[in-house]
Amino acid sequence: MQRFCTLAFVLGLILMVFGLTYIFPIATSLYFDDGMTNHFLRGMSINIGAGGILAASTMRFRGDLKTRDGYLLVAFFWLLMASAATLPLLWGIPGLSFTDAFFETMSGFTTTGATVLVGLDQLAPSLNLWRHELNWIGGLGIIVLAVAILPLLGVGGMQLYKAEIPGPVKDSKITPRITQTARLLWLVYVGYTLLCIICLYLAGMGWLDAICHAFSTLSLGGFSSHDASIGYYNSPAIELVITIFMLLSGMNFATHYTALHHASIKPYFLDPEAIPMLGLVAGSILLCAFYIWHFDVFPDFFTGLRYVSFNTVSVATGTGYSSTDYAKWPAFIPWLILFLSGIVPCTGSTGGGIKMFRALLLWKQAGRELFSILHPRAVNPVRIGNTPIANQIIFAVLAFIFLYFISVVVMTFTLMFTGMDPVTAISAVMACINNTGPGMGSVGPAANYAHLNDFQTWICAITMLLGRLEVFTLVVLFTPAFWRK
Amino acid sequence: MQRFCTLAFVLGLILMVFGLTYIFPIATSLYFDDGMTNHFLRGMSINIGAGGILAASTMRFRGDLKTRDGYLLVAFFWLLMASAATLPLLWGIPGLSFTDAFFETMSGFTTTGATVLVGLDQLAPSLNLWRHELNWIGGLGIIVLAVAILPLLGVGGMQLYKAEIPGPVKDSKITPRITQTARLLWLVYVGYTLLCIICLYLAGMGWLDAICHAFSTLSLGGFSSHDASIGYYNSPAIELVITIFMLLSGMNFATHYTALHHASIKPYFLDPEAIPMLGLVAGSILLCAFYIWHFDVFPDFFTGLRYVSFNTVSVATGTGYSSTDYAKWPAFIPWLILFLSGIVPCTGSTGGGIKMFRALLLWKQAGRELFSILHPRAVNPVRIGNTPIANQIIFAVLAFIFLYFISVVVMTFTLMFTGMDPVTAISAVMACINNTGPGMGSVGPAANYAHLNDFQTWICAITMLLGRLEVFTLVVLFTPAFWRK
Ligand SMILES: [K+]
Ligand SMILES: [K+]
């Protein structure tokens, strides 16, 4: 019982703090006089009130959070936040169902960036800011999840990253570690966000758009305040700024912290993921640029390169902006970049999917196995950087990939079972589980998820959360072993 | 040098023996007077002649085949046989390119059963028999591959099956083991084929069709002498006979042998794959039958059940017959059964794909990992039946699946790169790597592979061989480690 009280206490506190963030849409609503002020004020009161009651009523029964409570904490964190955040949308957008509102907020918090709303350009500015803020807050949560919680839980080989950030915490209490790690990395995240806002403003965006898009860039969320996404601006400068910040956000924030702390770029070379990630993205851009040049989609090579670069970085990092309807390009490119979104984002970034380190580890393990069927007795450990990786971690990574793959298959067939066409189904699942956003077919970059029926919408929302919590964290809650004493 | 001479000697002998099998199409051609006799006689002479020269010229330099030569043996076996078998097709079908002929024979030998020929009903009877015979001979090769060679090579965890068939061979010499194992299992294969011929005849097929379809049923090849495949007969009796024999052929022939040897059905229950395989197929049939009933595709439930049963067993076992154009059914069913073809066939069957035992092992490993993130210190070995499986084998299986998955991704993107649409590309790759045959889109059950361009045709042919040789066996030939002393 005590663990549930502790959990409820922490969640109550989080809800209260979350309530404070309503201040930004309130200010926006007041400034633009868009009539949403009361909705946000009401939402704020309910959040702070409900959070306060939850925290106050469980306070005297609380203890320390133990490792295993981490699973419940993160699952309920995302579910609770997404539910709470629906209120302003439900009040502000007449006719919006709870299913669609929940999809939108879950898409926000998981930084998926898929939307069920049409007519974003006509949406009240404060509601648009709200959507982008959800992206940004989701990013805050993901950094903590990736750098502090998952390594502690040992999900999918993340125990590799246990000692990444130096700290005094050696026992299994989860709270101090979160606090300390969060402080350092959030500083980087906030700093980069401010920098991105300024750059976007200088590149020609208005202040509100600059804030909104900086929020969804740093979080790799990919929400936009325009139906045409970044294509709305048709500005190479804006595309360049966003491209750079998407690449930065696709890297490990711990590496950014170390690099800034030591004022050195060496940490990027020591990071086993950064260079392969940049290399893979650069190689894919070149390949696609020549490919699209061959098909004469754009008047010249460099125009093609511009569009290929932006959309490749956007989709491959799992952001999901588009600067044109790339689904109309020869199918090889959109499918390649959608596939890349599963492996390009690095651990400790705000991206999703399998992640670069697991893809690297898997690749090396396959090579080791190829070698070992020729030399069965040779000892040949898998290394990432210079570190030999224990079999236990390789197993965890392989199991993660397998569970991820099962999830893709099961969710795709579930969507097809509801009558969805195969192209839309598989791409929607890839786009949701990788927290990318736009898929192909009827959920492509020029379309959205609005036409899905309720059941399909819920399946997609669950898939986003599944991807965000690295599958295991959520699936483990449904095992009897978890609930046994 | 000696190893290559030994290899050439063995391949020469095989080519000579293969030459003898031209006797069947020659007899057919004489009987039906279809004008192909000379083509087959010429092919026979060239096969026996070339094989004889190869064997005679390398005979005095030959030694024993070593384990590692197994990789070269199987790769060259399939390549050489497929090349040799093109001759009658090239002579007998005016205008057929070598690419298409090679695709057809490779499809035959790998028991994929995909075809580039249109107008099968009008094809000379001897040429149709020839195609089916390739299926059947391919099946002979696969049984040896699966039960004698791959376990010895230790490919993809197949070392598990090393001691399956008792025998006196304990050293690394490959020849005696092949001979001995082959004799026992081929006996079962030949016996079942004869039984299947008789049953098909009794069910209403003519003798030639019965022979042809027994050949492509037992081998799970799926070639048919009719463009409409088994739909041509519209006969529940024929469908029932074929369904039963497809299920039998999807099981381990070593289990059949043991069951027949002891006149007991107990071996099927001891076989860790047989029951899960039958259960998975039965469950899928039920699910699909109710699903298609809901969509009112057929006038009543039992008509639907009949069509669903046949096509599900056909595709899931990797045979690839069709009794109707199931691609027109709600997409969930054709994609599900195509996916199943990757996991339904058992080890030691004539089917392809990942195979049932690897799917089971993977499933259990994921469960173990799920348990172990909660109990990191608990020892909890994966078991298949009652046997605990060594980590080394689990690694080999996981690496196999990963390499298989990489192959699917690389081949799919390669096909899409050539401009093929995503649905056709992914389904063609799945159908080829699982040795199933028909895919979806423009390579669906009512269509064929004739419209592919040469490059696409080669990619598909390579994918078939890749799947048939369980990926590793072929890929290892391209590693420097293989060619090092
Ligand atoms: K995204
Ligand atoms: K087949």
Side-chain angles (χ1 to χ4, degrees), chain B residues 100-111:
Chain B
D100 280 358
F102 185 82
F103 178 94
E104 195 75 11
T105 54
M106 185 54 96
S107 173
F109 274 123
T110 57
T111 76

Side-chain angles (χ1 to χ4, degrees), chain B residues 293-314:
Chain B
W293 188 41
H294 171 79
F295 279 89
D296 278 334
V297 176
F298 293 101
D300 60 274
F301 176 78
F302 290 100
T303 312
L305 184 64
R306 169 187 157 193
Y307 282 97
V308 160
S309 301
F310 182 81
N311 293 287
T312 298
V313 172
S314 167

Side-chain angles (χ1 to χ4, degrees), chain A residues 26-48:
Chain A
I26 289 170
T28 312
S29 180
L30 288 170
Y31 182 82
F32 287 95
D33 193 19
D34 62 8
M36 296 292 149
T37 317
N38 278 330
H39 301 326
F40 282 106
L41 274 174
R42 251 203 295 171
M44 186 177 191
S45 327
I46 292 181
N47 262 266
I48 297 184

Side-chain angles (χ1 to χ4, degrees), chain A residues 146 150 158 273 341-360 400 467-468 470:
Chain A
L150 294 180
M158 286 290 283
E273 294 176 287
S341 75
I343 54 175
V344 159
C346 303
T347 325
S349 76
T350 48
I354 290 174
K355 305 243 160 47
M356 184 47 81
F357 99 92
R358 293 202 186 90
L360 284 173
F400 170 87
R468 182 41 77 203
E470 312 233 316

Side-chain angles (χ1 to χ4, degrees), chain A residues 107 110-114 135 216 219-223 314 317-321 431 434-438:
Chain A
S107 174
T110 56
T111 74
T112 306
N135 265 179
S216 55
S219 59
L220 297 176
F223 268 150
S314 168
T317 56
T319 316
Y321 291 138
N434 292 341
N435 302 120
T436 309

Side-chain angles (χ1 to χ4, degrees), chain B residues 111-112 220-221 318-319 435-436:
Chain B
T111 76
T112 307
L220 297 176
T319 316
N435 303 119
T436 309

Side-chain angles (χ1 to χ4, degrees), chain A residues 68 71 153-156 159 287 291 295 331-333 335-337 339 354 359 362-366 368-376 391-392 394-403 405-406 409 413-414 416-423 472-473 475-476 479 481-485, chain B residues 68 71 153-156 159 287 291 295 331-333 335-337 339 354 359 362-366 368-376 391-392 394-403 405-406 409 413-414 416-423 472-473 475-476 479 481-485:
Chain A
R68 197 183 281 195
Y71 296 99
L153 301 182
V155 165
Q159 53 269 52
L287 177 68
Y291 188 70
F295 279 88
F332 172 73
I333 299 182
W335 285 96
L336 177 69
I337 60 183
F339 174 77
I354 290 174
L362 205 59
W363 180 258
K364 289 182 182 182
Q365 167 62 17
R368 171 166 85 154
E369 205 51 45
L370 212 47
F371 184 80
S372 85
I373 60 172
L374 293 173
H375 304 280
N391 278 354
Q392 197 202 340
I394 298 177
F395 268 134
V397 168
L398 295 173
F400 170 87
I401 313 250
F402 178 59
L403 215 59
F405 179 71
I406 289 189
V409 169
F413 277 112
T414 307
M416 284 173 64
F417 192 84
T418 68
M420 194 183 271
D421 71 282
V423 163
F472 268 102
T473 321
V475 170
V476 86
T479 61
F482 182 81
W483 297 100
R484 239 174 264 140
K485 261 288 163 207
Chain B
R68 195 182 283 196
Y71 297 99
L153 300 183
V155 166
Q159 54 268 54
L287 177 69
Y291 188 71
F295 279 89
F332 173 73
I333 300 183
W335 285 96
L336 177 69
I337 60 182
F339 175 77
I354 290 173
L362 206 58
W363 181 257
K364 289 183 181 185
Q365 166 63 16
R368 170 165 85 154
E369 204 51 44
L370 213 46
F371 185 79
S372 85
I373 61 172
L374 293 173
H375 305 281
N391 278 355
Q392 196 202 341
I394 299 177
F395 269 135
V397 168
L398 295 174
F400 170 88
I401 313 250
F402 179 60
L403 215 59
F405 179 71
I406 289 190
V409 169
F413 277 113
T414 306
M416 284 172 65
F417 192 85
T418 67
M420 194 182 272
D421 71 283
V423 164
F472 267 103
T473 321
V475 170
V476 85
T479 60
F482 182 82
W483 298 100
R484 240 174 264 139
K485 259 292 164 204

